[in-house]
């Protein structure tokens, strides 16, 4: 998918002025944070499980080649086919050619973030077929022609009024009598529309929450049951997943499922967790005739070999964005690509390139909440700092920032000089600001003082005050 | 796409600083890394069945209990009457359901594929998990997956002796069976739901609006 991450600042500013978005985001954050906390309160060992999750993923990544081959062997043994895709292009071509060979007209889809990453829908539509999202949230944003704004609640930025309007325009030809409607009515209407699509689809496309090497299975997690209708009813099932989705066996998948449900929605387990292995068996009454898995690299093997390997542990639960004050303020669309919030601020620069994503690693207060809730303990703040360093090294930061940092670095490496200059400056500012107690404007700090005053220092640095305090106590 | 396969594996190995011939034993490494330790799991004080029903209800499932397989039809009829759900029913072709007797006015069809026009489906779970209040369905001729997903109301039957504590116990139990894993192993915890409109929980998104369980034994 095309990235608009370079527009972060403009989009963030617009988002802050959008009252409907503010309403939607406020409601979402309270829901997600509270539900997660409640479910973890019922499971005192949750932190120990996070450590286990970290180890499972680290081990798998350290033996990824072996597990990929094991998974492939098992898929083939179950009668399925594995396709490998180096990049977005290859993934799109693979999916489109499977659909074409199946003579497909209509393709149903269960939510897949990797599908968004490679832009599957556009490719299917360009090939003359219909692609229909079946997750209610994805369906809503498909009607609105928008990308998802959250990885597990793609339409979290939409209010009920906006959804009512969309359904009025798309299901009722703009009939003005269909004003604001209640949630059950909206859900029922989508159910009826999408049921017809399910029953007439030729190909079903899903993602995969986990790939299990032991059995060659994919694990699919939904609350709506749409993934199961997507892979059970059509003639062909295609699952698309990043190569980092592997786990060694079903017990490992179980540990990660315990982490996923609680971190994502505060559920012990989502309503539907399904293990899909191969196509329909000879005596099966249902299921597809063909089962394809598309394994996508798209930059992941590069991350495996550099300082960002930790990011490949991500199980896409969304907890980091639910707990991020920046995400809560600007919403997912400001980030400009598929993955928003803290995990997106790490992934987008790595996938799209540092050049066009300069604001993302800096759109972070480094408060560390994302790390403290991450179910696989990804050090997101450290990775964001790494990216900032990388930007600086590649001279992608403004010259004033670079020179300023270099100057500061020079002082910071010479503690005596640093304290001397700090003492002099603080003394001077204290003197200048003595009368009013604050500064309304300061040279070089225009951005800071444009929205607030700077309190005047009291004339002494902390270090010298501390030394004086110690001297007093010694006596 | 053979080239892509070789290239991805080559890149992965290079990132891991290994060549194709290096001998790696992931299973031993896995034991050392974590697998020899027992994973933290949710625990509870109450009896297994009590834990199960408590979690099952928390997931918006309803249930009743009968003493033997012969009582399944009576329990299903009572449920349908009580809920005003009519007298039509689709059954899975399962030996446990073959010999059941139904009231004359009931239209009962044994199906291989759920008719989307009919609203109530009944099938047998192969296992259940007390930890999460979850039912496990094994797709196949004895339990067509469409019954559990296309029906408006899904009635499930579970012999009590198939209830286990944790999800791992299901794997231990089912790994031994012929044909494991089936094409689809569905772990179902309550009826279908969505919170995609304003975070408001709504049952019956795409799958069943109601899930009713008949516990046998």
């Amino acid at each position: 998918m095309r990235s608009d991450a370079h527009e972060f600042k403009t989009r963030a500013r617009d988002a802050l002025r959008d009252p409907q978005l503010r309403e939607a985001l406020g409601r979402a954050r309270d829901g997600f944070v509270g539900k997660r906390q409640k479910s973890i309160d019922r499971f005192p060992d949750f932190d120990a499980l996070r450590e286990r999750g970290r180890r499972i993923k680290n081990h798998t990544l350290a033996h990824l080649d072996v597990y990929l081959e094991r998974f492939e062997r098992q898929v083939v043994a179950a009668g399925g086919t594995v396709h490998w895709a180096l990049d977005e292009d290859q993934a799109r071509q693979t999916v489109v050619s499977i659909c074409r060979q199946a003579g497909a007209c209509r393709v149903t889809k269960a939510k897949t973030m990797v599908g968004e990453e490679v832009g599957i829908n556009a490719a299917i539509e360009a090939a003359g077929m219909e692609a229909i999202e079946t997750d209610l949230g994805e369906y809503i944003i498909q009607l609105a022609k928008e990308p998802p704004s959250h990885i597990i609640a793609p339409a979290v930025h939409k209010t009920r009024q906006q959804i009512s309007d969309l359904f009025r325009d798309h299901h009722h030809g703009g009939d003005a009598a269909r004003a604001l409607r209640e949630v059950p009515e909206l859900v029922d209407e989508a159910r009826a529309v999408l049921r017809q699509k399910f029953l007439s689809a030729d190909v079903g496309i899903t993602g995969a929450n986990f790939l299990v090497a032991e059995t060659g299975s994919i694990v699919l997690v939904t609350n709506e049951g749409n993934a199961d209708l997507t892979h059970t009813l059509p003639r062909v099932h295609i699952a698309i997943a990043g190569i980092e989705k592997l786990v060694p066996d079903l017990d490992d998948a179980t540990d990660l499922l315990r982490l996923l449900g609680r971190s994502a929605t505060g559920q012990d387990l989502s309503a539907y967790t399904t293990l899909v292995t191969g196509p329909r068996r000879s005596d099966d009454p249902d299921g597809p005739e063909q089962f394809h898995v598309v394994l996508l690299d798209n930059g992941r093997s590069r991350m495996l070999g550099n300082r960002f390997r930790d990011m490949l542990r991500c199980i896409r639960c969304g907890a980091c964005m639910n707990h991020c004050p920046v995400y809560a303020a600007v919403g997912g669309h400001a980030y400009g690509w598929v993955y928003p919030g803290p995990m997106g601020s790490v992934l987008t620069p790595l996938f799209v390139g540092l050049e066009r994503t300069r604001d993302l690693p800096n759109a972070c207060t480094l408060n560390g909440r994302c790390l403290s809730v991450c179910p696989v303990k990804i050090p997101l703040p450290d990775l964001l700092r790494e990216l900032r360093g990388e930007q600086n090294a590649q001279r992608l930061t403004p010259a004033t920032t670079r020179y300023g940092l270099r100057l500061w670095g020079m002082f910071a490496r010479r503690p005596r000089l640093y304290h001397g200059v700090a003492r002099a400056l603080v003394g001077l500012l204290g003197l200048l600001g003595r009368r009013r107690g604050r500064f309304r404007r300061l040279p070089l700090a225009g951005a800071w003082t444009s929205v607030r005053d700077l309190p005047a220092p009291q004339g002494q640095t902390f270090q010298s005050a501390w030394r004086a305090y110690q001297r007093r106590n010694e006596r | 796409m053979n080239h892509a396969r070789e290239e991805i594996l080559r890149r992965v190995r290079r990132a891991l600083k290994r060549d194709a011939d290096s001998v790696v034993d992931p299973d031993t490494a896995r034991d050392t890394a974590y697998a020899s330790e027992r994973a933290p799991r949710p625990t509870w004080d109450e009896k297994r069945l009590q834990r199960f029903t408590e979690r099952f209800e928390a997931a918006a499932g309803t249930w009743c209990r009968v003493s033997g397989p012969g009582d399944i039809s009576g329990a299903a009829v009572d449920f349908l009457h009580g809920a005003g759900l009519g007298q039509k029913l689709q059954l899975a072709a399962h030996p446990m359901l073959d010999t059941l007797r139904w009231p004359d006015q009931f239209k009962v069809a044994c199906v291989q594929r759920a008719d989307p026009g009919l609203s109530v489906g009944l099938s047998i779970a192969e296992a259940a998990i007390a930890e999460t209040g979850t039912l496990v369905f094994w797709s196949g001729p004895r339990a067509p997956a469409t019954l559990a997903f296309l029906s408006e109301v899904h009635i499930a039957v579970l012999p009590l002796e198939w209830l286990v504590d944790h999800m791992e116990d299901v794997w231990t139990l089912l790994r031994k069976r012929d044909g494991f894993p089936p094409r689809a192993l569905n772990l179902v915890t309550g009826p279908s739901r969505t919170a995609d409109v304003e975070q408001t929980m709504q049952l019956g998104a795409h799958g069943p609006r109601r899930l009713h369980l008949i516990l046998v034994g």
Side-chain angles (χ1 to χ4, degrees), chain A residues 27 32 42-43 45 48-49 52 55-56 59 61-67 69-70 72 84-86 90 94 134-137 159-160 163 184 187-188 191 194-195 198 214 223-224 226 228-229 231-233 248-252 254-255 258 262 268-281 283-288 297 301 304-305 309, chain B residues 1 3-5 7-9 11-13 15-18 24-27 29-30 33-35 37-42 51 55 112-113 116 131-132 134 139-141 144-146 148-152 166-168 171 175 179-200 202-209:
Chain A
R27 186 180 296 116
F32 279 127
R42 286 199 308 267
F43 185 11
D45 275 349
L49 188 62
R52 178 138 181 138
R55 289 192 201 171
I56 292 173
H59 164 79
L61 292 169
H63 301 85
L64 192 58
D65 52 341
V66 186
Y67 286 121
E69 288 182 310
R70 197 178 277 185
E72 182 187 39
W84 304 69
L86 274 166
Q90 288 190 356
T94 305
T134 61
D135 170 82
L136 180 56
T159 60
R160 183 155 53 94
I163 297 167
V187 173
D188 270 357
R191 176 188 173 102
L194 290 171
R195 181 55 71 94
F198 278 127
E214 174 194 359
N223 273 312
E224 300 182 3
N226 61 312
D228 293 291
L229 290 170
H231 69 72
T232 299
L233 297 176
D249 75 7
L250 289 167
D251 291 336
D252 299 322
T254 304
D255 291 331
R258 287 194 182 105
R262 289 175 174 85
D268 294 357
L269 193 63
S270 299
Y272 298 106
T273 301
T274 301
L275 195 69
V276 182
T277 317
R280 170 198 293 236
R281 309 288 147 83
D283 60 345
D284 272 351
D286 46 46
D297 183 339
S301 59
L304 191 65
R309 186 193 286 191
Chain B
M1 292 293 156
H3 160 72
R5 177 187 190 277
E7 181 59 20
I8 290 173
L9 288 172
R11 289 181 188 184
V12 166
R13 288 192 184 109
L16 299 173
K17 300 188 173 55
R18 273 213 300 269
V24 226
D25 175 10
D27 302 314
R30 179 170 170 265
Y34 62 90
E37 291 167 38
R38 191 186 153 91
R41 298 175 184 180
R51 164 78 182 196
R55 295 320 299 162
Q112 283 291 296
R113 185 189 169 93
E131 171 191 356
T132 47
T134 301
S139 80
T146 48
F149 288 95
L150 284 176
S151 307
E152 296 269 308
H166 293 102
M167 195 186 287
E168 287 88 343
W171 310 137
R175 266 185 191 121
F180 180 84
R183 185 197 72 84
L185 198 72
N186 295 110
L187 281 62
V188 177
T189 315
S192 159
R193 66 199 58 209
T194 182
D196 273 343
V197 183
E198 293 197 335
Q199 299 278 298
T200 308
Q202 177 65 34
L203 296 182
H206 287 300
R209 298 170 193 275

Side-chain angles (χ1 to χ4, degrees), chain A residues 207-219:
Chain A
N209 291 88
F210 305 106
L211 306 170
V212 186
E214 174 194 359
T215 50
S217 313
I218 65 167
V219 178

Side-chain angles (χ1 to χ4, degrees), chain B residues 19-81:
Chain B
D19 50 54
D21 314 318
S22 350
V23 181
V24 226
D25 175 10
D27 302 314
T28 313
R30 179 170 170 265
D31 280 343
T32 322
Y34 62 90
S36 58
E37 291 167 38
R38 191 186 153 91
R41 298 175 184 180
T43 52
W44 54 89
D45 299 325
E46 59 269 43
K47 290 222 167 79
R48 183 186 289 174
L49 177 60
Q50 203 185 336
R51 164 78 182 196
F52 172 80
T53 53
E54 185 254 320
R55 295 320 299 162
F56 190 71
E57 285 171 18
T62 56
W63 61 280
C64 66
R65 189 173 173 182
V66 298
S67 51
D71 304 325
I72 293 172
S73 47
V77 167
D78 287 349
F79 166 71
L80 292 176
H81 271 314

Side-chain angles (χ1 to χ4, degrees), chain A residues 229 232 286, chain B residues 89-94 97 109-115 118-124 137 140-155 207-208 210-211:
Chain A
L229 290 170
T232 299
D286 46 46
Chain B
L89 191 67
Q90 312 186 75
L91 295 187
H94 194 286
L97 306 173
C110 185
V111 298
Q112 283 291 296
R113 185 189 169 93
D115 171 357
L118 282 177
S119 68
V120 185
L122 188 152
S123 57
I124 312 263
F137 296 92
R142 285 150 54 116
T146 48
L147 276 178
F149 288 95
L150 284 176
S151 307
E152 296 269 308
V153 177
H154 183 204
I155 304 177
R210 298 189 62 168
L211 175 62

